[in-house]
Coordinates of all heavy atoms in Angstrom, one line a residue:
R44 N -0.8 -12.0 -6.1 CA -0.2 -12.0 -4.8 C 1.2 -12.7 -4.8 O 2.2 -12.3 -4.2 CB -1.1 -12.6 -3.7 CG -2.3 -11.8 -3.3 CD -3.1 -12.5 -2.3 NE -4.3 -11.9 -2.0 CZ -4.5 -10.8 -1.2 NH1 -3.5 -10.3 -0.5 NH2 -5.7 -10.3 -1.0
L45 N 1.2 -13.9 -5.4 CA 2.4 -14.7 -5.5 C 3.5 -14.0 -6.3 O 4.7 -14.0 -5.9 CB 2.1 -16.1 -6.1 CG 3.3 -17.0 -6.2 CD1 3.8 -17.4 -4.8 CD2 2.9 -18.3 -6.9
R46 N 3.1 -13.3 -7.3 CA 4.1 -12.5 -8.1 C 4.7 -11.4 -7.1 O 5.9 -11.2 -7.2 CB 3.5 -11.9 -9.3 CG 3.2 -12.9 -10.4 CD 2.5 -12.4 -11.6 NE 3.2 -11.2 -12.2 CZ 4.3 -11.3 -12.9 NH1 4.9 -12.5 -13.1 NH2 4.9 -10.2 -13.5
R47 N 3.9 -10.8 -6.3 CA 4.4 -9.7 -5.4 C 5.3 -10.4 -4.4 O 6.3 -9.8 -4.0 CB 3.3 -9.0 -4.8 CG 2.6 -8.0 -5.7 CD 1.7 -7.0 -5.0 NE 0.6 -7.6 -4.2 CZ -0.6 -8.0 -4.6 NH1 -0.9 -7.7 -5.8 NH2 -1.4 -8.5 -3.8
L48 N 4.9 -11.5 -3.8 CA 5.7 -12.2 -2.8 C 7.0 -12.7 -3.3 O 7.9 -12.8 -2.5 CB 4.9 -13.4 -2.2 CG 3.7 -13.1 -1.3 CD1 2.9 -14.3 -1.0 CD2 4.2 -12.4 0.0
T49 N 7.1 -13.0 -4.6 CA 8.3 -13.6 -5.1 C 9.1 -12.7 -6.0 O 9.9 -13.1 -6.9 CB 8.0 -15.0 -5.9 OG1 7.1 -14.7 -7.0 CG2 7.4 -16.0 -4.9
N50 N 8.8 -11.4 -5.9 CA 9.5 -10.4 -6.7 C 9.3 -10.7 -8.2 O 10.3 -10.8 -9.0 CB 11.0 -10.3 -6.4 CG 11.1 -9.7 -5.0 OD1 10.4 -8.8 -4.6 ND2 12.0 -10.3 -4.2
Q51 N 8.1 -11.0 -8.6 CA 7.7 -11.3 -10.0 C 8.3 -12.6 -10.6 O 8.3 -12.8 -11.8 CB 8.2 -10.1 -10.9 CG 7.7 -8.8 -10.5 CD 6.2 -8.6 -10.2 OE1 5.4 -9.1 -11.1 NE2 5.8 -8.1 -9.1
G83 N 9.9 -23.3 1.2 CA 9.6 -21.9 1.3 C 8.7 -21.4 0.2 O 7.8 -20.6 0.4
F86 N 5.2 -22.6 0.7 CA 4.6 -21.8 1.7 C 4.0 -20.5 1.1 O 2.9 -20.2 1.4 CB 5.5 -21.5 2.9 CG 4.9 -20.6 3.9 CD1 4.1 -21.1 4.9 CD2 5.2 -19.3 3.9 CE1 3.5 -20.3 5.8 CE2 4.6 -18.4 4.9 CZ 3.8 -18.9 5.8
L87 N 4.8 -19.9 0.3 CA 4.4 -18.6 -0.3 C 3.2 -18.8 -1.2 O 2.3 -18.0 -1.2 CB 5.6 -17.9 -1.0 CG 6.7 -17.4 -0.2 CD1 7.8 -16.9 -1.1 CD2 6.2 -16.3 0.8
L90 N 0.2 -19.4 0.9 CA -0.2 -18.2 1.5 C -1.0 -17.3 0.5 O -2.0 -16.8 0.9 CB 1.0 -17.4 2.0 CG 0.8 -16.0 2.6 CD1 -0.1 -16.1 3.9 CD2 2.1 -15.3 3.0
F117 N 6.2 -20.8 9.0 CA 7.3 -19.8 8.8 C 8.7 -20.4 9.0 O 9.7 -19.9 8.5 CB 7.1 -18.6 9.7 CG 5.8 -18.0 9.6 CD1 4.7 -18.2 10.4 CD2 5.6 -17.1 8.5 CE1 3.5 -17.6 10.2 CE2 4.4 -16.4 8.3 CZ 3.3 -16.7 9.2
L120 N 11.0 -21.0 5.9 CA 11.5 -19.9 5.1 C 12.9 -19.5 5.5 O 13.2 -19.4 6.7 CB 10.5 -18.7 5.3 CG 9.1 -18.9 5.0 CD1 8.3 -17.7 5.3 CD2 8.8 -19.3 3.6
D121 N 13.7 -19.2 4.4 CA 15.0 -18.6 4.7 C 14.8 -17.1 5.1 O 13.7 -16.6 5.0 CB 16.0 -18.7 3.5 CG 15.5 -18.0 2.3 OD1 14.8 -17.0 2.4 OD2 15.8 -18.5 1.2
H122 N 15.9 -16.5 5.6 CA 15.7 -15.1 6.1 C 15.1 -14.2 5.1 O 14.2 -13.4 5.4 CB 17.1 -14.6 6.5 CG 17.0 -13.2 7.1 ND1 16.5 -12.9 8.3 CD2 17.4 -12.0 6.5 CE1 16.5 -11.6 8.5 NE2 17.1 -11.0 7.4
E123 N 15.5 -14.3 3.8 CA 15.0 -13.3 2.8 C 13.5 -13.6 2.5 O 12.8 -12.6 2.4 CB 15.8 -13.5 1.5 CG 15.5 -12.6 0.4 CD 16.3 -12.7 -0.8 OE1 17.5 -13.0 -0.7 OE2 15.7 -12.6 -1.9
L124 N 13.1 -14.8 2.4 CA 11.7 -15.1 2.2 C 10.8 -14.7 3.4 O 9.7 -14.2 3.3 CB 11.5 -16.6 1.9 CG 11.8 -17.0 0.4 CD1 11.7 -18.5 0.3 CD2 11.0 -16.3 -0.6
L125 N 11.4 -15.0 4.6 CA 10.7 -14.6 5.8 C 10.5 -13.1 5.8 O 9.4 -12.6 6.1 CB 11.5 -15.0 7.1 CG 10.8 -14.7 8.4 CD1 9.5 -15.4 8.5 CD2 11.7 -15.1 9.6
E126 N 11.5 -12.3 5.4 CA 11.3 -10.8 5.4 C 10.3 -10.4 4.4 O 9.4 -9.6 4.6 CB 12.7 -10.2 5.0 CG 12.7 -8.7 4.9 CD 12.4 -8.1 6.3 OE1 12.8 -8.6 7.3 OE2 11.8 -7.0 6.3
T127 N 10.2 -11.1 3.2 CA 9.2 -10.8 2.2 C 7.8 -11.1 2.7 O 6.9 -10.3 2.5 CB 9.5 -11.7 0.9 OG1 10.8 -11.4 0.4 CG2 8.5 -11.4 -0.2
V128 N 7.6 -12.2 3.4 CA 6.3 -12.6 3.9 C 5.9 -11.6 5.0 O 4.8 -11.1 5.0 CB 6.3 -14.0 4.5 CG1 5.1 -14.3 5.3 CG2 6.5 -15.0 3.4
I129 N 6.8 -11.2 5.9 CA 6.4 -10.3 7.0 C 6.0 -9.0 6.4 O 5.0 -8.4 6.8 CB 7.6 -10.1 8.0 CG1 7.8 -11.4 8.7 CG2 7.3 -9.0 8.9 CD1 9.1 -11.5 9.6
T130 N 6.8 -8.5 5.4 CA 6.5 -7.2 4.7 C 5.1 -7.3 4.1 O 4.3 -6.4 4.2 CB 7.6 -6.9 3.7 OG1 8.8 -6.8 4.4 CG2 7.3 -5.5 3.0
S131 N 4.8 -8.4 3.4 CA 3.5 -8.6 2.7 C 2.4 -8.6 3.8 O 1.3 -8.0 3.5 CB 3.5 -9.9 2.0 OG 4.5 -9.9 0.9
L132 N 2.6 -9.3 4.9 CA 1.6 -9.3 5.9 C 1.4 -7.9 6.5 O 0.2 -7.5 6.8 CB 2.0 -10.3 7.0 CG 2.0 -11.8 6.6 CD1 2.5 -12.7 7.7 CD2 0.6 -12.2 6.1
E133 N 2.4 -7.1 6.7 CA 2.3 -5.8 7.2 C 1.5 -4.9 6.2 O 0.7 -4.1 6.6 CB 3.7 -5.2 7.4 CG 4.4 -5.8 8.6 CD 5.8 -5.4 8.8 OE1 6.4 -4.8 7.8 OE2 6.4 -5.6 9.9
K134 N 1.7 -5.1 4.9 CA 0.9 -4.4 3.9 C -0.6 -4.7 4.0 O -1.4 -3.9 3.8 CB 1.4 -4.7 2.5 CG 2.8 -4.0 2.2 CD 3.2 -4.4 0.8 CE 4.6 -3.9 0.5 NZ 5.1 -4.4 -0.8
L135 N -0.8 -6.0 4.2 CA -2.2 -6.4 4.4 C -2.9 -5.7 5.6 O -4.0 -5.4 5.5 CB -2.3 -7.9 4.6 CG -2.2 -8.8 3.3 CD1 -2.1 -10.3 3.7 CD2 -3.3 -8.5 2.4
L151 N 10.2 -13.6 13.6 CA 8.8 -13.2 13.3 C 8.2 -12.6 14.6 O 7.6 -11.6 14.6 CB 7.9 -14.4 12.9 CG 6.5 -14.1 12.5 CD1 6.4 -13.1 11.4 CD2 5.8 -15.4 12.1
R154 N 9.2 -9.0 15.2 CA 8.6 -8.0 14.3 C 7.2 -7.7 14.6 O 6.7 -6.7 14.1 CB 8.7 -8.5 12.8 CG 10.1 -8.6 12.2 CD 10.5 -7.2 11.7 NE 9.7 -6.6 10.7 CZ 9.9 -6.8 9.4 NH1 10.8 -7.6 8.9 NH2 9.1 -6.2 8.5

Side-chain angles (χ1 to χ4, degrees):
R44 286 182 189 275
L45 183 60
R46 288 178 54 75
R47 287 192 304 270
L48 286 171
T49 61
N50 295 318
Q51 310 303 314
F86 175 80
L87 291 175
L90 176 62
F117 301 100
L120 303 178
D121 62 29
H122 178 73
E123 186 177 321
L124 284 176
L125 182 62
E126 182 65 29
T127 301
V128 169
I129 293 170
T130 302
S131 298
L132 294 174
E133 288 170 345
K134 286 178 187 173
L135 283 173
L151 185 59
R154 287 279 299 270

